[in-house]
Amino acid sequence: MRPSRQRRLALLLAAVLVPVATLLVGPVTTASAATMFSDDFADGDTAGWSKSGGTWGVVTDGSPAVRQSNVGSENARLFTGSTGWTDYLVQARVKPLSLGPGGQVGLLARAAGATRYYRLALLPGNQVQLQAVNGGAVTVLAGISHPVATGTWHTLAVEVTGGTVRGRVDGVFVGEVTSSLIGAGRIGLQTAYSSASFDDVLVRNADIPPTTPPVHTDTPSPSVTPPATTSPVTPPATTPPLTPPPTVPPPGTVVLVVATDGDDANPGTLARPLRTIQRAHDLAEPGTTIAVRGGTYAPTSTIKILKDGTPDHPITLMNHQGEKVVIDGENMPYTPGAVGSSIPRADRGVLHVEADWWRFVGLEIVHGPYGIFGVDTNYGRYERLVTRDNYESGLHLQGASSGNRIINLDSYGNRDPRKNGESADGLAIKEGSGLDNRVSGARLWRNSDDGFDAWLFQSPILIEDSVAYDNGYNYWNLPGYAGDGNGFKHGGGNDPRPAVDHVTRNSMAWGNSAGGFIDNGNPGTLLFDRNTAWRNGRAGFDVSRSTSQLHRNLAVGNTPDVSPGSSTGADNSWNLGGDWPLASTDPATITGPRAADGSIPTSTFLRPADAADVGARL
């Protein structure tokens, strides 16, 4: 289902053009993190990779993936990239199929030779280690206990920047160490006495300027003076345009077409479309694509998504050929519910999802009793959606829910009159558990409660490349207003509150009525890496009740900038001291139309004016 990436071109540019540019004009400083290489093996081969040991080939494992199948191989490796690569992040999905005694399955960074590299390894006995390998010597740099299951996909990530090496598994921080063993090298995939599949390999540059921190003066900067009042940052007056996503189903896919002038007695072809999405769901089988023609659909009851797809054949609900599709729930029950009332679970959501292996793409969902409500739902992909002006949270997942991907979501204007604004978030993953849920590229604003909320969700969630702003203000004149107004709320619950190690990186929170990034009483070891908090009504980073780790974060103009408690970290703006002038305080680019690939557009908004390696890069 994933589009094939331009991996050969990316590798060629990284390996050839960068050295040429360096030769001509000296070292190049990139303005933002960029993709250096990617491969999802959708083209069916391993061109551009070099093999050392083992039996490697592209197979279908839910989607095309490369597999090492020789369980007796002592050291099977697959390398790609340039030996000149220095500072970068490499990540991949990894599925161990067997883990023999003394075996391992790993992701390699800075491979300076066949036996010299940094390795993040999955080991028998639910162990994950960050290692330095130099010939026959293996040094364990860091390690944690973490569920390592054969037949299950895990996400591994290694970041190498200067003399610092960091590792994460499934969004959980493995460790950060200083090592001068290897300064540059390729990436690699590896097994030892094991078999595994690998997919979605991605390398991004780390956007690292010179390692010497710039000197910050004590002169106040007019660009970071806190506002005189707690009035919100004004959001865009209209919906940021939704860039149409790719909408061509894979060859051989069964397509059911829905149109406003259709008829549910029709077969669902383009010439004779169905009328309702619910009827299309009822007819769908694994592998079906439901293509919805442009227009506004106004169902009078919740659309129930109850039928499972499969790993090889998910079910897709998407807009047809980039047409604008609005699903309006205003005529459903509980829009809004009475003050103090509850909504029966089955009636929550314009789309109510209790199924696995679904993909939702390019839809705008409005005025519902929740926009999308998912419970006990796994391996869903929520791509380029708009969930706005609903009478509860825009997108809400709970219960036993694992492996979900929320990609490039815009969720705003959601409020809940029945609870006086206390419950409606832009995005909520809460009151449940499940591994490997990830959020990337989300924009969450002007919601009555919080931008993002992980209340009582008891498994780690990864949030990256996202923004939350202008949440927690009473734009709707709700009586007894009780909205919290945090940008990113990381758990919490009734005492004893669960300890959950959520990870948030490269994200921004600004202009929220309360905190920017808060632990909300979660006593776990959360990781905050390279985020920015600006002009929030309360603390930029409130981690006072956790043992969080904070690295390279920027906080400016908050009240206060940080409430650290027992949390620790380094290279944050408050550790480095001084004042922090900003390159831009104009959010127009980031809050405007999305880029052609659906991502948040790049700008200098809230970057340090002196290019210090602190804060988010969007």
Side-chain angles (χ1 to χ4, degrees), residues 408-427:
N408 297 335
L409 167 72
D410 278 349
S411 189
Y412 65 96
N414 301 293
R415 76 282 192 197
D416 54 305
R418 68 190 181 92
K419 289 189 176 181
N420 308 106
E422 187 270 336
S423 182
D425 306 305
L427 169 62

Side-chain angles (χ1 to χ4, degrees), residues 144-168:
I144 61 170
S145 295
H146 182 81
V148 177
T150 56
T152 299
W153 286 104
H154 299 276
T155 300
L156 303 186
V158 182
E159 184 179 13
V160 283
T161 56
T164 301
V165 184
R166 302 179 181 92
R168 298 183 182 88

Side-chain angles (χ1 to χ4, degrees), residues 259-540:
T260 55
D261 60 353
D263 189 318
D264 279 351
N266 285 342
T269 62
L270 190 61
R272 299 179 62 200
L274 301 168
R275 174 66 181 85
T276 68
I277 294 169
Q278 187 66 66
R279 177 59 177 163
H281 163 276
D282 296 345
L283 293 174
E285 299 292 341
T288 298
T289 291
I290 301 169
V292 185
R293 300 298 307 269
T296 297
Y297 298 78
T300 57
S301 60
T302 293
I303 299 170
K304 292 181 169 58
I305 307 296
L306 307 176
K307 183 179 293 187
D308 290 341
T310 69
D312 291 333
H313 301 288
I315 302 173
T316 300
L317 173 61
M318 66 193 311
N319 59 333
H320 173 77
Q321 299 294 321
E323 296 173 1
K324 183 178 177 63
V325 173
V326 177
I327 308 175
D328 189 335
E330 191 70 64
N331 296 326
M332 294 179 176
Y334 308 101
T335 54
V339 174
S341 68
S342 62
I343 304 175
R345 194 174 86 169
D347 292 321
R348 296 177 187 175
V350 174
L351 296 179
H352 180 93
V353 186
E354 292 193 41
D356 298 342
W357 297 106
W358 273 74
R359 182 176 179 231
F360 304 93
V361 185
L363 309 172
E364 188 166 340
I365 300 170
V366 306
H367 304 149
Y370 294 85
I372 299 176
F373 183 90
V375 61
D376 300 337
T377 178
N378 303 284
Y379 308 109
R381 292 180 67 91
Y382 302 83
E383 305 175 40
R384 302 197 198 192
L385 302 175
V386 174
T387 54
R388 64 169 176 85
D389 299 321
N390 294 287
Y391 294 101
E392 245 290 356
S393 294
L395 198 163
H396 180 117
L397 302 181
Q398 72 175 53
S401 297
S402 298
N404 295 291
R405 302 287 184 269
I406 298 167
I407 304 166
N408 297 335
L409 167 72
D410 278 349
S411 189
Y412 65 96
N414 301 293
R415 76 282 192 197
D416 54 305
R418 68 190 181 92
K419 289 189 176 181
N420 308 106
E422 187 270 336
S423 182
D425 306 305
L427 169 62
I429 303 177
K430 58 190 192 181
E431 296 177 304
S433 64
L435 293 175
D436 198 25
N437 293 296
R438 288 189 271 173
V439 179
S440 60
R443 300 192 295 194
L444 314 167
W445 77 95
R446 212 172 195 177
N447 300 288
S448 67
D449 196 36
D450 301 303
F452 170 80
D453 191 352
W455 172 265
L456 272 177
F457 200 80
Q458 300 187 46
S459 303
I461 300 167
L462 170 64
I463 306 117
E464 60 184 354
D465 307 329
S466 297
V467 300
Y469 60 96
D470 197 27
N471 295 290
Y473 297 98
N474 190 6
Y475 290 109
W476 308 274
N477 295 317
L478 300 177
Y481 188 70
D484 286 347
N486 299 290
F488 295 90
K489 181 190 289 182
H490 293 78
N494 299 319
D495 292 328
R497 303 184 182 208
V500 191
D501 301 340
H502 300 303
V503 176
T504 304
R505 63 190 183 204
N506 200 48
S507 296
M508 294 179 173
W510 74 88
N512 298 289
S513 69
F517 301 84
I518 73 167
D519 61 27
N520 200 41
N522 174 357
T525 304
L526 299 93
L527 175 65
F528 296 90
D529 185 13
R530 204 166 179 165
N531 304 291
T532 297
W534 179 60
R535 287 190 175 180
N536 295 287
R538 298 180 189 166

Side-chain angles (χ1 to χ4, degrees), residues 7-8 11 37 39 41 43-50 58 79-80:
R7 59 187 175 99
R8 294 184 181 86
L11 181 57
F37 173 82
D39 198 350
F41 305 102
D43 52 6
D45 61 47
T46 56
W49 295 81
S50 60
V58 176
F79 295 106
T80 194

Side-chain angles (χ1 to χ4, degrees), residues 47-248:
W49 295 81
S50 60
K51 183 185 77 170
S52 177
T55 303
W56 298 86
V58 176
V59 299
T60 298
D61 196 343
S63 63
V66 66
R67 176 174 294 172
Q68 198 295 109
S69 57
N70 184 353
V71 297
S73 178
E74 178 182 3
N75 196 0
R77 290 145 297 178
L78 202 64
F79 295 106
T80 194
S82 168
T83 56
W85 283 356
T86 55
D87 295 341
Y88 57 84
L89 170 75
V90 55
Q91 68 181 36
R93 293 197 306 132
V94 180
K95 179 194 283 189
L97 302 174
S98 68
L99 273 173
Q104 59 87 16
V105 174
L107 178 65
L108 312 182
R110 284 189 184 167
T115 59
R116 192 162 180 261
Y117 38 74
Y118 295 112
R119 176 169 68 199
L120 185 62
L122 304 176
L123 305 171
N126 294 323
Q127 297 296 308
V128 183
Q129 291 182 354
L130 183 62
Q131 305 169 341
V133 179
N134 188 14
V138 178
T139 302
V140 178
L141 305 176
I144 61 170
S145 295
H146 182 81
V148 177
T150 56
T152 299
W153 286 104
H154 299 276
T155 300
L156 303 186
V158 182
E159 184 179 13
V160 283
T161 56
T164 301
V165 184
R166 302 179 181 92
R168 298 183 182 88
V169 56
D170 298 328
V172 178
F173 195 60
V174 176
E176 174 180 316
V177 296
T178 300
S179 173
S180 59
L181 176 65
I182 311 166
R186 299 185 294 170
I187 66 165
L189 315 174
Q190 184 187 40
T191 68
Y193 299 116
S194 303
S195 175
S197 295
F198 301 82
D199 198 4
D200 294 334
V201 182
L202 173 69
V203 184
R204 297 187 308 184
N205 70 44
D207 190 18
I208 302 300
T211 56
T212 303
V215 176
H216 301 286
T217 68
D218 293 327
T219 304
S221 168
S223 67
V224 298
T225 303
T229 68
T230 57
S231 59
V233 177
T234 302
T238 59
T239 305
L242 177 69
T243 305
T247 54
V248 178

